[in-house]
Amino acid sequence: MTEEIRAEIKRLMRQKGLTQRDLAAKLGISEKSLSRTLRDRGQPPGLWPAIFDEFDVELTLKRKERRESSSE
C-alpha cells in the first residue's frame, strides 16, 4: 500500500480513538502484524481488506488523466 493509504488509515484510527492494540484486537491479529503492515514491513494476505472493512472504506483504482504532449 502507498504511504497515502497508510496515513489515511492512521488518521481514521485517531478519529475513532483506536490504538494499534485496539485495532489489532478487533481484527483478531497481533499488534506486531498490524504495526508491520502500517509501516509497510510485510503485509499478511487479506489484512488490508479487513482493515478497510473495519473503517467502512474501500480502495478504488482510477485511471490517471493522460498529459497531452506538446508538439512545439
Side-chain angles (χ1 to χ4, degrees), residues 32-70:
K32 185 175 182 176
S33 290
L34 179 61
S35 176
R36 288 177 141 198
T37 298
L38 294 177
R39 287 184 296 129
D40 200 26
R41 300 262 191 254
Q43 300 169 11
L47 187 51
W48 280 108
I51 293 170
F52 295 156
D53 285 348
E54 181 62 35
F55 293 104
D56 295 322
V57 297
E58 63 183 14
L59 180 64
T60 58
L61 297 176
K62 180 176 135 181
R63 282 200 185 272
K64 291 181 180 181
E65 292 183 23
R66 292 185 181 232
R67 295 182 186 171
E68 304 237 357
S69 56
S70 60

Side-chain angles (χ1 to χ4, degrees), residues 2-15:
T2 66
E3 184 57 38
E4 182 180 35
I5 292 169
R6 290 190 304 274
E8 181 61 15
I9 292 301
K10 290 173 187 176
R11 187 191 68 76
L12 290 169
M13 288 171 62
R14 282 190 305 275
Q15 183 180 354

